[in-house]
Amino acid sequence: MQRFGIDIGGTGIKGAPVDIARGELAEPRWRILTPQPATPEAMAGPVADLVKHFGWQGPVGAAFPAVIKNGVARSAANVDQAWIGTDVSAALSTATGCPVTVLNDADAAGVAEMTYGVGRDARGLVILCTLGTGIGSAMFLNGELVPNTELGHLEIDGVDAELRASDAARDREGLSWSHYSRRLDRYLQTLEKLFSPDLFIIGGGASKKSEKFLPRLNLQTQTIPAALLNNAGIVGAALAAVPATGAPGDDSPPPPGADGFHDQEVRLAGAPA
Ligand code: BGC
């Protein structure tokens, strides 16, 4: 079974068909720069082009960098404010001519990691942070997603955390890895104090360079890089487009967790088959 996944970010929009059984891209992904300003009108065209590029027709999942409630954006930090209150799902369905399911981008990356990646067997409280243009967060309790946590916007010393500790902040300010690691350490220690997680997973653009900062962190919590690296958003988005029982006419079995991320059977460690 394949679904199309799109990861919409403040910097780039990327997508590909995804092999749902394996949690891998079925074809090399395609990336388009996010138009600036990133308004609903300006972004609809590139998203439609991306789907057309692959000749895709069928269900699409889209990861979007905002709070998403019932398909509607309730915030906009790294895209234009005009998205707030927009039915993203309806707008992208109209633009692409395909049914589009939308979820927060960090939630999408988290679902992918928890289904196919390093979080597969993780129990307890898991927090995945994506370090990219902003900081995204996805929180899981015993494998179940608590959506739209937005922990990148925690205020530390009166400053929105993602303005100081995202990968874009490191780039913008030309920070050395040791300087950046201190900022990230402060951020993750704050999360640690507030939530006492069992595992941190670090994803997003920075996860490709995790050897530069992970060894410099002073955390009590086990902290590991994401396995799906930059494709987690695409894979998680595609997974969100899979209905519980598979698409009509598709008799392949649904993937683990494909029922909207509540499939406890595949997640309970040691549970009888
Ligand atoms: C947004 C989040 C998003 C994160 C990563 C933040 O600025 O508020 O919704 O998950 O950036 O893109």
Side-chain angles (χ1 to χ4, degrees):
M1 190 204 302
Q2 287 188 9
R3 290 291 177 266
F4 198 86
I6 306 178
D7 190 1
I8 298 174
T11 315
I13 302 172
K14 53 206 180 193
V18 173
D19 177 331
I20 295 294
R22 294 186 312 157
E24 287 169 10
L25 305 194
E27 291 180 50
R29 70 181 197 190
W30 209 55
R31 184 175 188 270
I32 305 176
L33 284 181
T34 304
Q36 302 299 338
T39 58
E41 295 72 32
M43 286 169 82
V47 170
D49 289 348
L50 189 57
V51 174
K52 239 186 263 153
H53 173 80
F54 290 90
W56 179 267
Q57 284 175 328
V60 171
F64 195 82
V67 171
I68 299 291
K69 292 288 266 185
N70 303 317
V72 177
R74 295 291 177 209
S75 70
N78 293 306
V79 288
D80 197 86
Q81 297 283 306
W83 279 103
I84 299 175
T86 299
D87 189 330
V88 186
S89 174
L92 299 185
S93 299
T94 304
T96 58
C98 299
V100 181
T101 307
V102 182
L103 77 169
N104 171 265
D105 59 349
D107 286 346
V111 166
E113 280 304 327
M114 297 299 284
T115 308
Y116 306 105
V118 291
R120 242 181 2 249
D121 300 318
R123 312 304 304 154
L125 188 74
V126 179
I127 299 179
L128 174 132
C129 291
T130 61
L131 306 175
T133 312
I135 296 183
S137 62
M139 190 185 277
F140 295 84
L141 183 60
N142 293 330
E144 184 137 3
L145 175 68
V146 181
N148 293 312
T149 43
E150 293 291 321
L151 299 180
H153 297 297
L154 268 184
E155 270 188 28
I156 301 180
D157 299 334
V159 181
D160 189 312
E162 76 171 17
L163 295 178
R164 294 178 61 82
S166 64
D167 199 38
R170 182 187 61 77
D171 223 27
R172 203 168 47 233
E173 298 183 47
L175 302 180
S176 66
W177 284 109
S178 78
H179 190 165
Y180 177 67
S181 303
R182 283 200 297 280
R183 284 195 185 178
L184 186 60
D185 209 18
R186 178 85 199 281
Y187 173 63
L188 293 173
Q189 281 182 15
T190 307
L191 294 188
E192 197 168 55
K193 253 186 248 156
L194 292 172
F195 297 103
S196 304
D198 297 290
L199 177 69
F200 280 130
I201 302 175
I202 306 297
S207 58
K208 284 180 286 189
K209 313 159 234 173
S210 64
E211 77 286 354
K212 308 265 193 207
F213 56 86
L214 282 191
R216 299 179 201 254
L217 303 178
N218 299 295
L219 300 164
Q220 311 284 324
T221 312
Q222 188 191 3
T223 305
I224 56 176
L228 280 80
L229 300 177
N230 241 350
N231 290 333
I234 299 176
V235 172
L239 199 45
V242 179
T245 51
D250 187 346
D251 23 323
S252 40
D259 63 344
F261 329 128
H262 296 284
D263 190 347
Q264 289 301 310
E265 265 174 38
V266 297
R267 294 171 189 280
L268 285 174

